[in-house]
Amino acid sequence: MSVNENIPLGRVINVSIEGVPVGLARPNMNIVCLMTSDRAFLNSNKRTAAYTELSGIESDFGSYSKVYQMAKRMFTNANPVNKGKGYIVIGYWRATSETIPASSGYLKSAELSEDVVVNTLQTITDGSFNIAINGGAVINVAGLNFTTCATLADIIALIDGAITGATITVNGLNQITITSSTTGIASTVSFMSDGSTGTGIADVLTLSSGSGAVTVAGLASSVLTGESKEEALIEVAKEEPIRGVVYLDKPTSAEAKLISTWATANDCLVYDVFSDATNFTLDTVNNFVWFNKLSGGTNYRTLFDKQADRGLAVGYMAKMHTVNFEATNTALTMNLKELQGCLPSKFSDSELNSAQKVGLDLYGTFGGLPRTYTSGANDFTDNVYNVIAVKRYDQVDVFNTLQGTPTKLAQTDEDMLKLIEQVEKTLALFVRAGVIAPGTWNSTYDFGSDPKVFRDNIATTGYYVYAKPMSEQSQSEREQRKAPAIQVAFKMAGAIHTADIAIVFER
């Protein structure tokens, strides 16, 4: 009788492997948009086009177009592309009625990191997903082997061969688009979801619901009436996560009021240029600038140029949206910055004083040097930009902490501390970038169990994060599986804009 010596190790040691969930990317604050009514390349079926090169804009719109001429202002200066790791979106505003052909529905991913996606999928031999095309039955795709895929294009080709009724492409920004082969209102592409068997890839490709993907239904051929500038922004923002906007066609005061509230609600900065003497006055009826300041419209940034050059807003936006918050000492102020390609205006003392009151930023000359002169009456642009970044980074980082936990975070003080520590890590990022800095907390407001601890933290780190103990949480909130409210206070690093010098001499 022979002895079987080939006993599987699995009878004694059972090993399983589970990959760490892929988290959401932090928001890109440097995706900026030029809104145009030019139909040379865009229309109501094709709302946006994204670029990282000026040559692409020239090719699509022509070198004599206003779009191209304004885009040159961005590439003339330090800009979101060459310094801020962002990109430029040209968005379409339907200013007048338009006859449009039928369009195809599509599903578009968030911007991907090719290295991350390829490295993640190369370990998968049984990739799977579900998707529905044109409202039909759900297509179940399984058994996708990505081990030989070396590029994002290889991955796209593999998936494209596994589905029918749609085509898959990837653009220069590494965004995947799945487009229906039909047109009309029945032309749709659903969000992708993980298959019931195999290894799901929907989240890795950010094509699932909630991952940053967008799905847009096709349209039938029709005649569309003109739309408001706010309506156009709403449509453009559905396709691109824009954080800065300049309208190439100047908004009226009525339009600007609507856009200002939209900008605040959507964490976006809108840049506009004014040129009338009325804009220096404290007149809420005839001066939108003063109305906007009194209304708290800090997301609507107002500049003054006597030539009414809207390129000033483009150059200004290009310079502002260049901060890399994950680097050191990158935060900036717009005060005393040169905007290449923009001509400075001459201002009287009265105009300079009025600009400081109403909240207008100017571009003038200091001893012959063309530089910006900013007003903090409606807050400073960098403050608004930085606070949006802190808010959005915290939101994504805490989400990733929750979704990246393989099991769960229990309703205990120990696990609650993990959320607090993540918020602190995010705030420390902004300390290194120069947005937050240690300082004295001058407000009478504080929170936490000990006011001294609150102020000592602000003085030593620049921020303080606090959440009540779990034992103090109400039962109703506990039953809803809510975390106790996390309270955050931080001290802005600010910026030095002016200085007084006192000189004493003796003979």
Side-chain angles (χ1 to χ4, degrees):
M1 179 177 178
S2 62
V3 178
N4 183 1
E5 296 179 342
N6 191 28
I7 301 175
L9 291 178
R11 286 180 174 268
V12 180
I13 307 297
N14 189 19
V15 178
S16 64
I17 298 177
E18 181 178 355
V20 176
V22 177
L24 291 178
R26 283 171 171 156
N28 191 332
M29 286 295 297
N30 300 326
I31 301 172
V32 298
C33 177
L34 301 182
M35 292 293 293
T36 179
S37 57
D38 188 336
R39 294 177 184 171
F41 184 68
L42 299 177
N43 53 52
S44 296
N45 277 349
K46 183 177 175 60
R47 280 280 181 174
T48 63
Y51 302 90
T52 57
E53 299 285 345
L54 181 61
S55 58
I57 299 176
E58 179 185 16
S59 176
D60 290 340
F61 290 89
S63 59
Y64 293 101
S65 68
K66 189 174 182 179
V67 172
Y68 172 73
Q69 295 301 324
M70 286 298 180
K72 278 200 305 184
R73 298 288 188 94
M74 303 192 83
F75 285 92
T76 300
N77 292 273
N79 62 68
V81 175
N82 64 22
K83 191 175 180 182
K85 295 185 177 181
Y87 57 90
I88 297 168
V89 174
I90 308 300
Y92 174 69
W93 164 49
R94 190 174 63 249
T96 58
S97 61
E98 174 188 358
T99 301
I100 59 171
S103 65
S104 298
Y106 63 88
L107 170 67
K108 186 177 184 180
S109 77
E111 186 178 354
L112 300 171
S113 167
E114 182 169 17
D115 289 341
V116 171
V117 172
V118 171
N119 290 338
T120 301
L121 293 186
Q122 276 180 340
T123 64
I124 296 176
T125 60
D126 61 344
S128 67
F129 65 87
N130 296 332
I131 197 166
I133 310 295
N134 301 332
V138 174
I139 300 172
N140 307 114
V141 176
L144 295 177
N145 187 341
F146 295 98
T147 56
T148 61
C149 294
T151 65
L152 194 55
D154 293 338
I155 293 168
I156 297 308
L158 182 61
I159 299 173
D160 192 40
I163 63 174
T164 58
T167 56
I168 307 178
T169 57
V170 60
N171 63 19
L173 303 172
N174 289 336
Q175 292 173 300
I176 297 171
T177 302
I178 303 178
T179 306
S180 168
S181 300
T182 65
T183 61
I185 58 174
S187 177
T188 59
V189 180
S190 72
F191 286 110
M192 184 182 285
S193 60
D194 291 340
S196 57
T197 60
T199 304
I201 64 170
D203 287 339
V204 177
L205 299 177
T206 66
L207 288 170
S208 59
S209 178
S211 66
V214 293
T215 180
V216 177
L219 298 172
S221 177
S222 62
V223 177
L224 300 178
T225 59
E227 66 186 353
S228 71
K229 289 185 171 69
E230 181 191 19
E231 288 170 334
L233 277 174
I234 292 171
E235 294 303 315
V236 167
K238 289 178 182 178
E239 298 187 16
E240 293 287 353
I242 53 176
R243 289 286 167 255
V245 175
V246 172
Y247 255 98
L248 301 189
D249 301 279
K250 180 171 175 56
T252 65
S253 292
E255 291 172 330
K257 290 176 182 179
L258 294 174
I259 295 172
S260 180
T261 55
W262 177 91
T264 300
N266 290 275
D267 286 340
C268 186
L269 283 80
V270 176
Y271 301 83
D272 200 354
V273 172
F274 298 83
S275 58
D276 194 285
T278 305
N279 297 123
F280 288 115
T281 65
L282 309 184
D283 183 347
T284 57
V285 176
N286 300 302
N287 182 12
F288 167 78
V289 176
W290 181 240
F291 172 89
N292 188 58
K293 178 256 187 303
L294 294 182
S295 301
T298 56
N299 288 47
Y300 202 102
R301 308 311 303 167
T302 52
L303 299 90
F304 192 93
D305 182 76
K306 292 189 175 181
Q307 292 80 38
D309 178 15
R310 300 199 62 72
L312 177 63
V314 175
Y316 188 104
M317 177 175 70
K319 181 81 73 173
M320 182 68 254
H321 291 258
T322 59
V323 179
N324 179 359
F325 291 106
E326 301 191 31
T328 302
N329 296 328
T330 52
L332 56 80
T333 173
M334 284 304 298
N335 196 52
L336 301 182
K337 294 296 184 290
E338 181 181 10
L339 303 179
Q340 295 180 4
C342 299
L343 293 175
S345 298
K346 292 183 178 180
F347 298 98
S348 66
D349 279 348
S350 175
E351 290 171 331
L352 292 173
N353 291 334
S354 295
Q356 291 295 304
K357 291 180 182 178
V358 299
L360 280 170
D361 287 1
L362 313 176
Y363 193 55
T365 55
F366 293 80
L369 291 176
R371 294 291 186 269
T372 55
Y373 183 53
T374 62
S375 164
N378 194 32
D379 207 343
F380 293 104
T381 304
D382 59 290
N383 278 346
V384 183
Y385 172 86
N386 291 336
V387 168
I388 291 173
V390 173
K391 170 186 172 181
R392 291 287 181 161
Y393 272 49
D394 265 323
Q395 183 181 42
V396 168
D397 289 352
V398 172
F399 171 83
N400 283 338
T401 301
L402 286 174
Q403 70 89 29
T405 304
T407 53
K408 68 174 182 179
L409 293 183
Q411 289 174 292
T412 63
D413 289 332
E414 180 182 9
D415 275 3
M416 185 64 199
L417 184 60
K418 295 176 182 178
L419 294 185
I420 294 173
E421 288 175 342
Q422 179 56 67
V423 174
E424 291 176 336
K425 287 179 183 177
T426 304
L427 294 172
L429 187 80
F430 287 93
V431 172
R432 292 191 293 272
V435 173
I436 298 172
T440 301
W441 187 261
N442 296 310
S443 172
T444 57
Y445 173 79
D446 57 48
F447 51 79
S449 56
D450 187 341
K452 185 178 185 302
V453 172
F454 175 98
R455 283 172 167 73
D456 286 349
N457 272 268
I458 298 292
T460 56
T461 66
Y463 56 83
Y464 179 60
V465 184
Y466 175 79
K468 289 182 179 180
M470 283 289 181
S471 59
E472 297 182 17
Q473 186 183 32
S474 68
Q475 181 61 25
S476 62
E477 288 206 338
R478 180 178 178 85
E479 290 171 356
Q480 296 176 60
R481 297 194 168 187
K482 289 183 178 179
I486 300 174
Q487 295 177 274
V488 178
F490 62 85
K491 186 81 174 180
M492 298 289 281
I496 297 174
H497 284 186
T498 62
D500 293 328
I501 302 173
I503 300 175
V504 177
F505 71 94
E506 181 179 41
R507 294 187 184 276

